[in-house]
Amino acid sequence: FKKNIQILKLYKPVNYICSKRKQDNRKIVYEILNSKYKNFIFAGRLDVNSEGLIILTNSSNVTRSLEDPRYKFKRTYNVRVFGHLNLAKLKEKSKGFVYKGTKYRAFNYKVISDIKKNTWIKLELYEGRKNEIRQIFKSINLNVNKLKRVSFGPFNLNNLNPGQVEI
């Protein structure tokens, strides 16, 4: 018996949790999905304050492959940070660094716009640790006030809107 692999792209809205079970009154992403996808699993989570592309599938092999840093699947984010951006510090951190005992790998970035103290940055990572992006910017005294994943490996958010699913 061979399982037909299915992959869903979901635009996770802010204030939804990437969890299979309700833990409190907060909404979970499975409330957005049709119940026939209740057994699908995540490839890469986003925290409750983040939005953007989530990949769900019925194949644990697909999720393992997407999440394993050895396969170098790029994750792209649009990040808005608040504070004074020191480009020299960001460039130095982009080579990889240790912060509060955690090693962060090298990443690519591009400043998209810089208006007053809000700066939009396109960030590309090849590993997705918990709160990694928030920690990267915290290490240079910037606060992330918007975080949106726009691509994960071969999958792109494209024109999906918050809460929309594409099969």
Side-chain angles (χ1 to χ4, degrees):
F1 145 78
K2 189 173 180 181
K3 178 165 69 172
N4 210 8
I5 294 176
Q6 290 182 288
I7 298 173
L8 302 180
K9 294 187 333 183
L10 167 68
Y11 187 140
K12 180 195 125 15
V14 174
N15 295 325
Y16 276 77
I17 297 174
C18 290
S19 175
K20 278 199 173 251
R21 287 193 196 89
K22 287 274 267 188
Q23 298 158 10
D24 47 36
N25 292 345
R26 296 181 292 179
K27 301 172 198 161
I28 60 173
V29 295
Y30 286 92
E31 293 172 342
I32 298 171
L33 299 172
N34 184 307
S35 62
K36 69 181 176 182
Y37 302 119
K38 70 180 191 297
N39 291 323
F40 277 40
I41 48 180
F42 298 106
R45 297 171 179 239
L46 289 172
D47 69 34
V48 67
N49 297 313
S50 300
E51 64 183 298
L53 182 64
I54 293 283
I55 304 300
L56 294 112
T57 179
N58 60 347
S59 168
S60 58
N61 290 334
V62 170
T63 57
R64 270 195 303 276
S65 296
L66 284 169
E67 292 176 340
D68 192 328
R70 290 180 299 173
Y71 298 114
K72 297 189 180 348
F73 281 113
K74 181 170 62 177
R75 298 149 171 87
T76 305
Y77 301 83
N78 290 336
V79 185
R80 187 178 66 201
V81 295
F82 178 78
H84 173 69
L85 174 63
N86 181 324
L87 278 172
K89 284 184 180 179
L90 182 58
K91 184 176 183 180
E92 186 61 33
K93 298 290 182 185
S94 74
K95 298 172 185 172
F97 67 103
V98 176
Y99 180 65
K100 293 187 175 181
T102 302
K103 184 177 181 185
Y104 295 98
R105 294 182 180 195
F107 58 88
N108 299 316
Y109 69 92
K110 179 181 178 184
V111 174
I112 299 169
S113 72
D114 191 0
I115 302 167
K116 296 188 180 181
K117 289 192 173 188
N118 278 299
T119 305
W120 279 99
I121 298 170
K122 178 180 178 181
L123 195 72
E124 298 175 343
L125 304 170
Y126 290 90
E127 183 177 31
R129 293 181 177 211
K130 182 177 180 183
N131 293 319
E132 179 173 7
I133 294 170
R134 295 180 193 283
Q135 293 301 313
I136 287 170
F137 288 108
K138 189 175 184 180
S139 77
I140 57 172
N141 300 313
L142 294 170
N143 290 316
V144 172
N145 54 23
K146 189 161 180 94
L147 181 76
K148 179 179 176 181
R149 181 163 49 209
V150 294
S151 72
F152 190 147
F155 305 102
N156 294 299
L157 194 57
N158 297 329
N159 296 321
L160 283 179
N161 292 312
Q164 281 189 312
V165 176
E166 188 178 288
I167 299 171

